[in-house]
Amino acid sequence: GAGVSQSPSNKVTEKGKDVELRCDPISGHTALYWYRQSLGQGLEFLIYFQGNSAPDKSGLPSDRFSAERTGGSVSTLTIQRTQQEDSAVYLCASGPGRDYGYTFGSGTRLTVV
Amino acid sequence: KQEVTQIPAALSVPEGENLVLNCSFTDSAIYNLQWFRQDPGKGLTSLLLIQSSQREQTSGRLNASLDKSSGRSTLYIAASQPGDSATYLCVPNNNDMRFGAGTRLTVKP
């Protein structure tokens, strides 16, 4: 596609439910990042995928958070047993390699009620 | 872990002023540095990308410089306009793409 696509754009879920957030990177981009941005705050790194290498999961805040990237393309961020503090905008970025810049999606706004 | 600091945290200027936003980072072993803007409630829009071998990049009224060895970059905005109001973020890329808090710019008509 022309850009990084994230779905859904908005998600409201009840506390304790599981949610899946999807990121479709630009075709051919080998690098993919997930970030979380709470209201009025900066971007918090969550996880980084690069090609077939093991992902850098050092930013995942708890074991309720997990992410996978199938076939080196689409990525899914899963949050289990959601809590109110998980409410935030989740942003995805992709890039073609280390010598190039990154393109961000429009994000998924998650609200846990 | 890369640490990014942006100064000032917030800036309010009248329309037409030239201004400079500063970015410093702790790990100078970077491939490139990218400047983004973020409008309230929106995603990030890329403004400029400077490769580690470059000293500066220009796009329209924007000019970004990079001094990799000292871990500094500046974004110069000429003849600011109200439409420039946004949060500006710099990201040094060394496969550890961490963000600072950014500079929140307000340009008053």
Side-chain angles (χ1 to χ4, degrees), chain B:
Chain B
K1 188 179 88 170
Q2 181 76 274
E3 302 282 345
V4 181
T5 303
Q6 291 190 243
I7 295 172
L11 182 63
S12 181
V13 299
E15 182 176 6
E17 277 205 5
N18 303 324
L19 50 99
V20 176
L21 309 182
N22 297 289
C23 168
S24 62
F25 47 96
T26 55
D27 185 351
S28 62
I30 62 172
Y31 305 123
N32 51 60
L33 183 142
Q34 199 165 358
W35 281 92
F36 292 91
R37 68 175 279 170
Q38 185 176 32
D39 295 278
K42 305 289 187 182
L44 276 70
T45 301
S46 180
L47 298 173
L48 289 163
L49 173 71
I50 313 176
Q51 298 296 340
S52 61
S53 58
Q54 295 177 316
R55 298 286 291 180
E56 65 179 282
Q57 275 286 352
T58 298
S59 176
R61 295 181 293 107
L62 305 180
N63 176 276
S65 67
L66 174 63
D67 184 345
K68 196 180 82 159
S69 61
S70 67
R72 296 179 188 276
S73 177
T74 61
L75 179 66
Y76 176 82
I77 303 177
S80 57
Q81 301 172 356
D84 295 332
S85 299
T87 297
Y88 289 79
L89 299 155
C90 77
V91 186
N93 176 22
N94 58 350
N95 289 339
D96 182 16
M97 205 167 67
R98 308 278 171 158
F99 284 80
T103 294
R104 186 181 310 122
L105 172 66
T106 302
V107 181
K108 297 172 288 186

XYZ file of all heavy atoms in Angstrom, chain B:
828
model
N 21.317 2.449 26.161
C 20.062 2.881 25.576
C 20.175 4.355 25.174
O 20.675 5.160 25.937
C 18.932 2.690 26.580
C 17.541 2.940 25.995
C 16.460 2.706 27.044
C 16.203 3.975 27.840
N 15.005 3.836 28.692
N 19.720 4.649 23.979
C 19.768 6.023 23.486
C 18.885 6.927 24.332
O 17.739 6.606 24.616
C 19.299 6.023 22.036
C 19.307 7.369 21.321
C 20.684 7.824 20.902
O 21.393 8.436 21.688
N 21.060 7.550 19.656
N 19.422 8.092 24.722
C 18.655 9.105 25.437
C 18.591 10.341 24.557
O 19.617 10.809 24.071
C 19.317 9.453 26.771
C 19.501 8.280 27.722
C 18.217 7.910 28.438
O 17.274 8.719 28.415
O 18.165 6.797 29.012
N 17.396 10.865 24.371
C 17.183 12.026 23.506
C 16.601 13.166 24.336
O 15.625 12.962 25.069
C 16.224 11.679 22.349
C 16.022 12.888 21.443
C 16.754 10.494 21.551
N 17.203 14.338 24.189
C 16.736 15.524 24.896
C 16.448 16.617 23.890
O 17.277 16.884 23.009
C 17.794 16.027 25.894
O 18.120 14.980 26.811
C 17.270 17.227 26.667
N 15.291 17.239 24.018
C 14.942 18.325 23.112
C 14.679 19.597 23.924
O 13.944 19.574 24.917
C 13.726 17.956 22.263
C 14.051 16.863 21.252
C 12.936 16.650 20.252
O 12.350 15.580 20.202
N 12.646 17.677 19.452
N 15.293 20.663 23.451
C 15.171 21.955 24.112
C 14.821 23.013 23.072
O 15.408 23.009 21.984
C 16.498 22.334 24.809
C 16.784 21.328 25.946
C 16.442 23.738 25.352
C 18.159 21.514 26.550
N 13.851 23.933 23.355
C 13.055 23.971 24.586
C 11.932 22.942 24.567
O 11.627 22.391 23.508
C 12.500 25.392 24.566
C 12.354 25.697 23.103
C 13.523 25.023 22.439
N 11.317 22.729 25.715
C 10.173 21.812 25.760
C 8.963 22.437 25.086
O 8.138 21.733 24.490
C 9.840 21.467 27.212
N 8.838 23.763 25.195
C 7.725 24.466 24.561
C 8.212 25.826 24.110
O 9.116 26.415 24.716
C 6.549 24.601 25.526
N 7.595 26.314 23.055
C 8.017 27.567 22.462
C 6.797 28.239 21.844
O 6.036 27.588 21.109
C 9.079 27.293 21.391
C 9.716 28.461 20.660
C 10.482 29.336 21.632
C 10.661 27.928 19.572
N 6.612 29.522 22.157
C 5.502 30.274 21.581
C 6.077 31.526 20.945
O 6.769 32.296 21.612
C 4.496 30.634 22.674
O 3.407 31.349 22.123
N 5.806 31.725 19.665
C 6.395 32.837 18.928
C 5.329 33.496 18.070
O 4.344 32.864 17.673
C 7.560 32.373 18.031
C 8.682 31.744 18.868
C 7.095 31.426 16.951
N 5.518 34.766 17.728
C 4.608 35.405 16.772
C 4.948 34.969 15.354
O 6.090 34.627 15.035
C 4.869 36.893 16.987
C 6.258 36.968 17.521
C 6.480 35.716 18.298
N 3.951 34.994 14.528
C 4.125 34.620 13.126
C 5.250 35.429 12.480
O 5.406 36.629 12.735
C 2.813 34.884 12.383
C 2.816 34.512 10.924
C 1.449 34.717 10.275
O 0.545 35.249 10.960
O 1.288 34.344 9.105
N 6.033 34.746 11.639
C 7.090 35.428 10.906
C 8.476 35.270 11.506
O 9.474 35.520 10.822
N 8.545 34.836 12.761
C 9.859 34.686 13.397
C 10.596 33.465 12.869
O 9.994 32.464 12.499
C 9.707 34.548 14.909
C 9.566 35.871 15.619
C 10.023 35.797 17.066
O 10.528 34.754 17.507
O 9.853 36.810 17.761
N 11.928 33.589 12.847
C 12.792 32.439 12.581
C 13.088 31.779 13.920
O 13.264 32.468 14.933
C 14.094 32.870 11.923
C 13.855 33.626 10.633
O 12.933 33.324 9.874
N 14.691 34.622 10.379
N 13.144 30.466 13.942
C 13.385 29.801 15.219
C 14.225 28.549 15.056
O 14.342 28.000 13.957
C 12.051 29.478 15.910
C 11.014 28.761 15.073
C 11.049 27.282 15.376
C 9.620 29.313 15.360
N 14.808 28.134 16.177
C 15.706 26.982 16.212
C 15.265 26.025 17.306
O 15.073 26.431 18.455
C 17.165 27.415 16.465
C 18.072 26.196 16.600
C 17.647 28.321 15.338
N 15.117 24.776 16.935
C 14.803 23.714 17.893
C 16.043 22.831 18.031
O 16.679 22.493 17.028
C 13.617 22.879 17.404
C 12.359 23.650 16.984
C 11.268 22.674 16.566
C 11.887 24.570 18.080
N 16.349 22.466 19.265
C 17.568 21.723 19.542
C 17.287 20.287 19.976
O 16.321 20.026 20.705
C 18.360 22.426 20.649
C 18.813 23.793 20.235
O 19.689 23.942 19.397
N 18.189 24.816 20.805
N 18.167 19.413 19.547
C 18.054 17.995 19.877
C 19.444 17.487 20.232
O 20.410 17.749 19.502
C 17.506 17.236 18.673
S 17.599 15.428 18.772
N 19.556 16.777 21.348
C 20.820 16.134 21.693
C 20.572 14.671 22.014
O 19.486 14.308 22.478
C 21.494 16.833 22.874
O 20.679 16.762 24.025
N 21.565 13.850 21.738
C 21.419 12.411 21.945
C 22.729 11.841 22.471
O 23.807 12.404 22.231
C 20.962 11.700 20.667
C 21.718 12.088 19.422
C 22.794 11.324 18.978
C 21.348 13.192 18.680
C 23.487 11.662 17.830
C 22.033 13.547 17.531
C 23.114 12.784 17.096
N 22.641 10.746 23.180
C 23.788 10.234 23.923
C 24.638 9.242 23.136
O 25.836 9.135 23.388
C 23.321 9.559 25.220
O 22.350 8.549 24.892
C 22.690 10.571 26.156
N 24.055 8.516 22.216
C 24.792 7.519 21.439
C 24.972 8.043 20.021
O 24.020 8.105 19.253
C 24.023 6.191 21.426
C 24.782 5.074 20.730
O 25.830 5.354 20.095
O 24.334 3.921 20.809
N 26.215 8.407 19.685
C 26.464 9.037 18.384
C 26.663 8.023 17.254
O 26.830 8.416 16.101
C 27.694 9.953 18.472
O 28.837 9.195 18.807
N 26.623 6.738 17.562
C 26.784 5.705 16.529
C 25.452 5.474 15.817
O 24.824 4.418 15.978
C 27.282 4.411 17.165
N 25.042 6.466 15.050
C 23.728 6.402 14.410
C 23.883 6.273 12.902
O 24.899 6.658 12.325
C 22.877 7.648 14.748
C 23.542 8.928 14.237
C 22.626 7.730 16.254
C 22.680 10.169 14.374
N 22.864 5.732 12.244
C 22.832 5.646 10.787
C 22.317 6.941 10.178
O 22.763 7.377 9.124
C 21.932 4.496 10.334
C 22.294 3.161 10.932
C 21.357 2.428 11.656
C 23.568 2.628 10.766
C 21.686 1.197 12.194
C 23.898 1.394 11.310
C 22.955 0.696 12.023
O 23.279 -0.519 12.564
N 21.349 7.523 10.849
C 20.743 8.755 10.376
C 19.922 9.374 11.502
O 19.818 8.796 12.595
C 19.850 8.498 9.142
C 18.860 7.378 9.370
O 18.032 7.440 10.267
N 18.933 6.336 8.544
N 19.366 10.538 11.243
C 18.500 11.205 12.214
C 17.308 11.763 11.449
O 17.466 12.345 10.369
C 19.263 12.319 12.937
C 18.493 13.060 14.048
C 19.412 13.385 15.217
C 17.808 14.299 13.525
N 16.142 11.600 12.023
C 14.927 12.015 11.350
C 14.170 12.999 12.234
O 14.076 12.805 13.451
C 14.053 10.777 11.076
C 12.993 10.941 10.022
C 12.430 9.595 9.548
O 12.856 8.528 9.992
N 11.478 9.629 8.651
N 13.640 14.060 11.611
C 12.768 15.004 12.301
C 11.335 14.754 11.855
O 11.053 14.596 10.655
C 13.165 16.447 11.970
C 14.347 16.941 12.734
C 15.656 16.883 12.360
C 14.337 17.605 13.995
N 16.455 17.451 13.326
C 15.666 17.913 14.333
C 13.320 17.982 14.886
C 16.022 18.572 15.518
C 13.663 18.630 16.050
C 15.003 18.919 16.369
N 10.435 14.727 12.856
C 9.006 14.540 12.612
C 8.244 15.707 13.222
O 8.712 16.371 14.132
C 8.497 13.265 13.300
C 9.013 11.971 12.731
C 10.170 11.396 13.225
C 8.318 11.307 11.737
C 10.635 10.180 12.728
C 8.773 10.087 11.233
C 9.932 9.542 11.732
N 7.020 15.891 12.735
C 6.072 16.737 13.442
C 4.840 15.902 13.769
O 4.473 14.970 13.036
C 5.670 17.974 12.650
C 4.854 17.729 11.407
C 4.414 19.046 10.778
N 3.236 19.608 11.448
C 2.761 20.845 11.229
N 3.386 21.647 10.376
N 1.692 21.274 11.853
N 4.241 16.236 14.919
C 3.021 15.559 15.326
C 1.981 16.602 15.673
O 2.191 17.418 16.576
C 3.252 14.626 16.521
C 2.010 13.818 16.877
C 2.234 12.813 17.979
O 3.039 13.032 18.890
N 1.524 11.688 17.921
N 0.882 16.576 14.951
C -0.233 17.455 15.254
C -1.107 16.783 16.313
O -1.157 15.547 16.386
C -1.024 17.752 13.987
C -0.188 18.540 12.992
O -0.103 19.759 13.158
O 0.419 17.930 12.080
N -1.796 17.565 17.129
C -2.591 16.994 18.231
C -3.539 15.905 17.745
O -4.298 16.106 16.794
C -3.338 18.210 18.780
C -2.465 19.365 18.450
C -1.846 19.037 17.117
N -3.492 14.766 18.402
C -4.384 13.665 18.060
C -4.064 12.965 16.762
O -4.867 12.150 16.287
N -2.912 13.261 16.199
C -2.546 12.674 14.898
C -1.285 11.831 15.016
O -0.603 11.820 16.049
C -2.291 13.788 13.875
C -3.426 14.766 13.706
C -4.603 14.155 12.995
C -5.657 15.208 12.700
N -6.853 14.621 12.051
N -0.956 11.155 13.900
C 0.290 10.405 13.842
C 1.457 11.327 13.556
O 1.356 12.549 13.656
N 2.588 10.737 13.207
C 3.801 11.500 12.959
C 4.041 11.663 11.463
O 3.896 10.706 10.699
C 5.010 10.785 13.571
C 5.268 11.035 15.049
C 4.210 10.391 15.918
C 6.653 10.530 15.427
N 4.436 12.871 11.080
C 4.756 13.170 9.690
C 6.246 13.444 9.590
O 6.776 14.289 10.321
C 3.971 14.400 9.203
O 2.572 14.150 9.335
C 4.301 14.708 7.749
N 6.920 12.752 8.684
C 8.360 12.950 8.515
C 8.628 14.281 7.827
O 7.971 14.642 6.843
C 8.949 11.810 7.683
O 10.337 11.985 7.518
N 9.593 15.018 8.362
C 9.975 16.310 7.797
C 11.296 16.205 7.036
O 11.400 16.638 5.894
C 10.098 17.351 8.913
C 8.828 17.650 9.704
C 9.145 18.566 10.885
C 7.764 18.277 8.817
N 12.305 15.698 7.697
C 13.637 15.642 7.113
C 14.364 14.410 7.633
O 14.171 14.015 8.780
C 14.459 16.894 7.479
C 14.055 18.211 6.821
C 14.657 19.387 7.569
C 14.496 18.236 5.364
N 15.212 13.847 6.779
C 16.080 12.730 7.146
C 17.505 13.131 6.813
O 17.793 13.518 5.674
C 15.697 11.476 6.373
C 16.614 10.271 6.530
C 16.478 9.670 7.918
C 16.307 9.213 5.469
N 18.395 13.081 7.807
C 19.807 13.390 7.577
C 20.603 12.115 7.784
O 20.537 11.501 8.850
C 20.331 14.447 8.562
C 19.397 15.630 8.678
C 21.711 14.932 8.148
C 19.858 16.641 9.715
N 21.379 11.722 6.780
C 22.247 10.557 6.922
C 23.430 10.919 7.820
O 23.787 12.091 7.954
C 22.750 10.103 5.553
C 21.649 9.657 4.605
C 20.914 8.431 5.102
O 21.398 7.674 5.940
N 19.702 8.232 4.594
N 24.043 9.920 8.400
C 25.137 10.174 9.347
C 26.330 10.856 8.684
O 27.106 11.535 9.345
C 25.586 8.863 9.990
O 26.068 7.972 9.000
N 26.456 10.700 7.365
C 27.571 11.310 6.643
C 27.275 12.745 6.212
O 28.161 13.436 5.703
C 27.895 10.478 5.402
O 26.754 10.381 4.566
N 26.037 13.173 6.424
C 25.643 14.513 5.982
C 25.716 15.494 7.136
O 25.658 15.123 8.312
C 24.215 14.483 5.422
C 24.076 13.642 4.168
C 22.641 13.579 3.681
O 21.713 13.402 4.476
N 22.464 13.718 2.384
N 25.808 16.779 6.776
C 25.839 17.830 7.793
C 24.492 18.534 7.908
O 24.147 19.045 8.976
C 26.905 18.857 7.436
C 28.307 18.315 7.399
C 28.840 18.051 8.787
N 29.083 19.268 9.536
C 29.562 19.281 10.784
N 29.842 18.157 11.392
N 29.743 20.419 11.406
N 23.756 18.581 6.778
C 22.462 19.245 6.841
C 21.571 18.805 5.696
O 22.032 18.224 4.705
C 22.615 20.759 6.840
C 23.202 21.353 5.574
C 23.285 22.871 5.697
O 22.239 23.534 5.531
O 24.377 23.381 5.956
N 20.275 19.076 5.887
C 19.261 18.820 4.870
C 18.274 19.971 4.895
O 17.988 20.528 5.962
C 18.499 17.514 5.151
C 19.138 16.267 4.635
C 19.026 16.104 3.138
O 18.323 16.867 2.455
N 19.720 15.119 2.613
N 17.758 20.312 3.722
C 16.817 21.424 3.614
C 15.571 20.976 2.875
O 15.645 20.207 1.909
C 17.458 22.601 2.861
O 18.592 23.048 3.603
C 16.477 23.745 2.701
N 14.429 21.487 3.350
C 13.165 21.272 2.657
C 12.314 22.502 2.882
O 11.807 22.736 3.985
C 12.454 20.025 3.201
O 11.177 19.869 2.600
N 12.190 23.302 1.844
C 11.397 24.515 1.957
C 11.944 25.451 3.017
O 13.115 25.828 2.999
N 11.089 25.791 3.991
C 11.509 26.696 5.066
C 12.239 25.972 6.204
O 12.600 26.602 7.200
C 10.282 27.417 5.626
C 9.595 28.344 4.628
C 8.403 29.058 5.249
N 7.324 28.150 5.573
C 7.001 27.784 6.814
N 7.681 28.241 7.862
N 5.987 26.960 7.015
N 12.427 24.698 6.068
C 13.063 23.901 7.116
C 14.489 23.551 6.740
O 14.765 23.199 5.591
C 12.290 22.604 7.344
C 10.804 22.697 7.657
C 10.223 21.305 7.837
C 10.559 23.545 8.878
N 15.369 23.664 7.734
C 16.748 23.245 7.555
C 17.187 22.514 8.806
O 17.061 23.042 9.916
C 17.652 24.449 7.309
C 19.122 24.068 7.221
O 19.802 23.938 8.239
N 19.611 23.861 6.021
N 17.678 21.302 8.638
C 18.155 20.534 9.778
C 19.646 20.299 9.633
O 20.135 19.978 8.551
C 17.416 19.208 9.874
N 20.370 20.457 10.726
C 21.797 20.183 10.742
C 22.086 19.031 11.675
O 21.305 18.733 12.582
C 22.568 21.428 11.182
O 22.287 21.718 12.540
N 23.214 18.396 11.444
C 23.611 17.261 12.275
C 25.099 17.345 12.588
O 25.922 17.470 11.670
C 23.318 15.943 11.559
C 23.800 14.660 12.247
C 23.106 14.453 13.586
C 23.599 13.453 11.341
N 25.430 17.276 13.866
C 26.807 17.135 14.318
C 26.867 15.821 15.091
O 26.633 15.780 16.306
C 27.202 18.318 15.206
C 28.670 18.260 15.630
O 29.298 17.193 15.484
O 29.193 19.282 16.111
N 27.153 14.752 14.344
C 27.049 13.424 14.929
C 28.021 13.223 16.078
O 27.681 12.640 17.106
C 27.286 12.374 13.845
C 26.831 10.980 14.238
C 27.095 9.991 13.139
C 28.523 9.507 13.153
N 28.712 8.220 12.444
N 29.227 13.736 15.899
C 30.255 13.479 16.906
C 29.909 14.085 18.257
O 30.257 13.540 19.304
C 31.614 13.999 16.429
O 31.540 15.399 16.218
N 29.206 15.196 18.242
C 28.825 15.818 19.508
C 27.414 15.447 19.928
O 26.942 15.889 20.982
C 28.956 17.340 19.425
O 28.008 17.864 18.522
N 26.729 14.655 19.107
C 25.384 14.206 19.466
C 24.357 15.321 19.456
O 23.536 15.415 20.382
N 24.408 16.157 18.425
C 23.473 17.284 18.371
C 22.884 17.450 16.973
O 23.553 17.217 15.960
C 24.182 18.584 18.742
C 24.692 18.639 20.156
C 25.408 19.970 20.413
N 26.064 19.960 21.711
C 25.464 20.237 22.865
N 24.193 20.553 22.863
N 26.135 20.204 23.993
N 21.631 17.895 16.968
C 20.971 18.283 15.729
C 20.108 19.497 16.017
O 19.596 19.655 17.132
C 20.108 17.139 15.184
O 19.414 17.533 14.016
N 19.976 20.358 15.020
C 19.084 21.497 15.162
C 18.132 21.532 13.972
O 18.491 21.137 12.859
C 19.847 22.821 15.230
O 20.577 22.996 14.019
C 20.791 22.865 16.408
N 16.928 21.997 14.239
C 15.933 22.225 13.192
C 15.658 23.715 13.157
O 15.223 24.292 14.158
C 14.647 21.448 13.464
C 13.537 21.650 12.415
C 13.950 21.065 11.066
C 12.225 21.022 12.878
N 15.932 24.322 12.015
C 15.719 25.747 11.819
C 14.460 25.926 10.986
O 14.324 25.304 9.928
C 16.934 26.346 11.108
C 16.823 27.798 10.751
C 17.079 28.773 11.701
C 16.495 28.192 9.455
C 17.007 30.119 11.379
C 16.420 29.528 9.123
C 16.677 30.485 10.081
O 16.593 31.827 9.766
N 13.533 26.734 11.493
C 12.302 27.037 10.763
C 12.322 28.524 10.432
O 12.374 29.376 11.342
C 11.044 26.692 11.576
C 11.061 25.216 11.982
C 9.787 27.007 10.765
C 9.892 24.799 12.860
N 12.283 28.834 9.168
C 12.312 30.221 8.723
C 10.892 30.745 8.535
O 9.989 30.011 8.127
C 13.079 30.332 7.409
N 10.726 32.007 8.867
C 9.454 32.704 8.621
C 8.266 31.860 9.087
O 7.398 31.479 8.292
C 9.321 33.043 7.134
N 8.224 31.576 10.374
C 7.225 30.658 10.925
C 5.796 31.117 10.628
O 5.501 32.326 10.526
C 7.432 30.511 12.431
O 7.362 31.763 13.073
N 4.914 30.127 10.503
C 3.512 30.361 10.194
C 2.642 29.632 11.224
O 3.072 28.635 11.808
C 3.195 29.828 8.789
C 4.025 30.447 7.693
C 3.816 29.760 6.353
O 3.106 28.764 6.243
N 4.447 30.301 5.326
N 1.395 30.079 11.425
C 0.518 29.378 12.379
C 0.378 27.887 12.067
O 0.240 27.076 12.978
C -0.812 30.118 12.221
C -0.420 31.505 11.837
C 0.785 31.337 10.947
N 0.432 27.519 10.793
C 0.351 26.116 10.406
C 1.537 25.289 10.846
O 1.489 24.048 10.790
N 2.596 25.939 11.308
C 3.761 25.213 11.825
C 3.532 24.741 13.255
O 4.349 23.991 13.802
C 5.012 26.108 11.789
C 5.432 26.479 10.375
O 5.150 25.698 9.438
O 6.034 27.554 10.210
N 2.468 25.192 13.882
C 2.180 24.810 15.261
C 1.978 23.303 15.353
O 1.111 22.738 14.688
C 0.931 25.541 15.776
O 1.127 26.942 15.764
N 2.792 22.668 16.163
C 2.793 21.207 16.313
C 3.874 20.853 17.324
O 4.587 21.724 17.817
C 3.090 20.519 14.981
N 3.983 19.569 17.620
C 5.107 19.081 18.409
C 6.146 18.510 17.454
O 5.811 17.736 16.560
C 4.655 18.008 19.419
O 3.750 18.593 20.343
C 5.845 17.433 20.166
N 7.391 18.924 17.634
C 8.485 18.497 16.765
C 9.363 17.501 17.514
O 9.761 17.733 18.664
C 9.293 19.709 16.314
C 8.520 20.549 15.332
C 7.541 21.434 15.778
C 8.724 20.428 13.961
C 6.794 22.182 14.877
C 7.982 21.168 13.063
C 7.019 22.034 13.523
O 6.272 22.773 12.631
N 9.650 16.392 16.854
C 10.374 15.286 17.465
C 11.586 14.932 16.614
O 11.490 14.838 15.384
C 9.473 14.058 17.573
C 8.221 14.239 18.440
C 7.129 13.279 18.021
C 8.565 14.018 19.897
N 12.710 14.740 17.263
C 13.884 14.236 16.549
C 14.132 12.804 16.981
O 13.910 12.453 18.143
C 15.113 15.101 16.793
S 15.915 14.857 18.382
N 14.563 11.975 16.039
C 14.821 10.574 16.340
C 16.140 10.140 15.724
O 16.235 9.985 14.502
C 13.697 9.658 15.803
C 13.932 8.232 16.257
C 12.352 10.146 16.249
N 17.167 9.951 16.546
C 18.404 9.366 16.028
C 18.224 7.866 15.859
O 17.704 7.208 16.758
C 19.422 9.676 17.128
C 18.635 9.981 18.346
C 17.233 10.275 17.963
N 18.590 7.342 14.703
C 18.329 5.941 14.386
C 19.599 5.117 14.467
O 20.534 5.289 13.679
C 17.734 5.830 12.981
C 17.523 4.390 12.564
O 17.425 3.494 13.403
N 17.457 4.159 11.269
N 19.652 4.229 15.449
C 20.728 3.238 15.501
C 20.127 1.886 15.792
O 20.660 1.117 16.564
C 21.786 3.616 16.543
C 21.201 3.761 17.932
O 19.991 3.769 18.105
N 22.048 3.876 18.925
N 18.986 1.598 15.153
C 18.194 0.404 15.399
C 17.632 0.395 16.817
O 17.167 -0.634 17.278
C 18.974 -0.882 15.127
C 19.196 -1.084 13.647
O 18.489 -0.528 12.821
N 20.193 -1.877 13.319
N 17.729 1.508 17.479
C 17.120 1.682 18.796
C 16.439 3.041 18.735
O 16.946 4.021 19.263
C 18.188 1.631 19.877
C 17.604 1.757 21.268
O 16.374 1.584 21.424
O 18.361 2.043 22.207
N 15.305 3.102 18.060
C 14.691 4.374 17.709
C 13.854 4.887 18.869
O 12.684 4.571 18.999
C 13.835 4.211 16.454
C 13.670 5.504 15.689
S 13.000 5.280 14.029
C 11.348 4.715 14.347
N 14.507 5.658 19.736
C 13.857 6.189 20.926
C 13.517 7.652 20.715
O 14.266 8.384 20.076
C 14.778 6.067 22.144
C 15.332 4.682 22.360
C 14.393 3.762 23.073
N 14.867 2.384 23.071
C 14.491 1.459 23.941
N 13.614 1.778 24.890
N 14.960 0.236 23.859
N 12.414 8.070 21.301
C 11.965 9.450 21.174
C 12.203 10.220 22.466
O 12.076 9.667 23.563
C 10.470 9.492 20.866
C 10.140 9.141 19.448
C 10.085 7.817 19.038
C 9.887 10.134 18.519
C 9.784 7.488 17.719
C 9.574 9.820 17.203
C 9.528 8.501 16.805
N 12.494 11.512 22.305
C 12.458 12.415 23.439
C 11.040 12.946 23.595
O 10.109 12.491 22.915
N 10.886 13.922 24.447
C 9.564 14.480 24.711
C 9.133 15.468 23.640
O 7.958 15.828 23.562
C 9.544 15.149 26.076
N 10.081 15.934 22.815
C 9.733 16.849 21.745
C 9.678 18.296 22.182
O 9.823 18.633 23.365
N 9.501 19.170 21.201
C 9.294 20.597 21.437
C 7.911 20.958 20.926
O 7.613 20.729 19.748
C 10.347 21.456 20.713
O 11.632 21.222 21.264
C 9.994 22.937 20.819
N 7.083 21.506 21.819
C 5.731 21.930 21.424
C 5.802 23.367 20.968
O 6.074 24.262 21.756
C 4.760 21.786 22.576
C 3.302 22.069 22.161
C 2.314 21.951 23.304
N 2.484 20.722 24.025
C 2.737 20.673 25.331
N 2.854 21.787 26.024
N 2.874 19.523 25.940
N 5.557 23.580 19.680
C 5.659 24.912 19.081
C 4.272 25.486 18.826
O 3.405 24.817 18.263
C 6.420 24.833 17.747
C 6.453 26.108 16.909
C 7.247 27.195 17.629
C 7.060 25.834 15.531
N 4.113 26.740 19.253
C 2.889 27.484 18.945
C 3.303 28.746 18.218
O 4.114 29.527 18.725
C 2.114 27.857 20.218
O 1.800 26.665 20.942
C 0.825 28.587 19.859
N 2.756 28.959 17.022
C 3.013 30.168 16.253
C 1.719 30.978 16.233
O 0.698 30.527 15.697
C 3.467 29.846 14.821
C 3.751 31.136 14.060
C 4.691 28.948 14.834
N 1.776 32.164 16.821
C 0.571 32.985 16.964
C 0.400 33.908 15.768
O 1.366 34.533 15.321
C 0.673 33.793 18.254
C 0.714 32.920 19.498
C 1.015 33.743 20.739
C 2.448 34.206 20.751
N 2.813 34.884 22.025
N -0.839 34.002 15.278
C -1.070 34.897 14.112
C -0.826 36.359 14.472
O -0.981 36.758 15.620
C -2.546 34.673 13.779
C -2.945 33.432 14.503
C -2.034 33.291 15.688
